[in-house]
Amino acid sequence: MNFLAHIYLSGNDDLLKIGNFIADTIRGKQYLDYPEMMQKGILLHRRIDTFTDEHLIFRRSKKRLIAEFGHYSGVIVDIFYDYFLAKNWQKYSEEPLNEYVQDFYMLLQQYKHLLNERANYLIFYMIKENWLESYQTLEGIEKIFYQMDRRTDFRSKMRLAPQFLQNNETDFEQDFFRFFSDISKEINVLLTDK
């Protein structure tokens, strides 16, 4: 799962959302340096990643990409799934995507003093280029994949992923719907127990 899905799966608690969002910038037990709900968000992120990596449907999506993209396949599926979440947003939220995203950007600004340098660097570019809303179009994810590919000196071939998605969109979208139903149930149970 990529940024949008992680944020969405965090529910309505602001600090839980922020913790989930910044989790990839936190190593090991560094999460203990944050307020309790941010700690829970970081741990929730890790649980989501584990659930995702072990899920048969996610693995099936990834398998379609392995021959072409190798070990970058998981990252590509993460972005494909965020694309389907954004594209089908109205199925998951009554709040329009642009309002949800702008509220989240404001939340990040409000709590930026709690975040590490790496997270604040990420946030600067995310807001500037409006990554979260860009997930809803093929053109938007084309830019994201191109930038990611450029960071690998074009060895990853991720710039070709949108074309692969277009050629197999129905299969990936069906995988997404099944997977997202499963992970939503799993996370709802975890959030209810928190």
Side-chain angles (χ1 to χ4, degrees):
M1 299 270 81
N2 207 42
F3 295 123
L4 184 61
H6 273 286
I7 297 160
Y8 173 81
L9 290 169
S10 297
N12 296 320
D13 187 282
D14 290 349
L15 289 177
L16 190 77
K17 271 189 209 176
I18 290 173
N20 192 337
F21 172 75
I22 67 162
D24 284 335
T25 72
I26 309 297
R27 299 288 171 242
K29 294 196 180 238
Q30 289 175 345
Y31 76 94
L32 295 170
D33 297 337
Y34 292 88
E36 183 182 358
M37 287 310 291
M38 285 180 70
Q39 290 179 31
K40 288 182 177 184
I42 293 164
L43 295 176
L44 176 63
H45 181 107
R46 293 174 183 177
R47 177 67 191 114
I48 290 169
D49 283 354
T50 300
F51 182 90
T52 300
D53 291 341
E54 293 172 354
H55 200 282
L56 293 177
I57 294 173
F58 183 85
R59 287 182 177 189
R60 180 173 63 204
S61 288
K62 197 171 145 182
K63 189 174 182 183
R64 289 191 191 101
L65 299 165
I66 291 285
E68 184 70 28
F69 300 103
H71 74 274
Y72 295 101
S73 300
V75 174
I76 291 169
V77 174
D78 283 343
I79 293 172
F80 284 2
Y81 281 13
D82 259 17
Y83 162 72
F84 290 119
L85 175 59
K87 178 183 159 193
N88 296 287
W89 184 257
Q90 71 285 353
K91 292 179 191 265
Y92 300 101
S93 177
E94 292 179 10
E95 183 177 12
L97 180 61
N98 65 320
E99 289 178 21
Y100 182 86
V101 166
Q102 292 308 313
D103 287 348
F104 184 68
Y105 290 161
M106 287 190 338
L107 187 66
L108 291 174
Q109 295 293 347
Q110 182 182 345
Y111 289 101
K112 70 186 286 181
H113 64 283
L114 293 176
L115 309 182
N116 63 36
E117 185 178 334
R118 191 170 159 215
N120 277 311
Y121 179 82
L122 175 73
I123 289 163
F124 173 80
Y125 286 101
M126 171 180 272
I127 294 172
K128 180 181 175 196
E129 297 169 15
N130 197 10
W131 292 352
L132 297 179
E133 277 191 78
S134 70
Y135 288 133
Q136 67 189 313
T137 65
L138 276 171
E139 295 78 18
I141 63 170
E142 278 174 4
K143 289 178 187 170
I144 289 166
F145 279 124
Y146 182 84
Q147 290 166 354
M148 293 172 77
D149 199 15
R150 191 178 65 199
R151 283 197 297 260
T152 70
D153 293 324
F154 299 102
R155 287 187 309 271
S156 71
K157 299 190 287 184
M158 283 191 276
R159 70 192 176 285
L160 306 176
Q163 185 61 52
F164 199 95
L165 174 62
Q166 279 187 294
N167 295 339
N168 302 277
E169 187 155 358
T170 301
D171 293 334
F172 282 112
E173 189 163 33
Q174 288 173 354
D175 282 357
F176 165 76
F177 284 132
R178 290 185 189 115
F179 171 79
F180 208 67
S181 173
D182 288 353
I183 198 167
S184 296
K185 288 175 194 161
E186 176 79 8
I187 299 309
N188 281 338
V189 169
L190 284 175
L191 292 180
T192 303
D193 293 343
K194 72 176 173 127

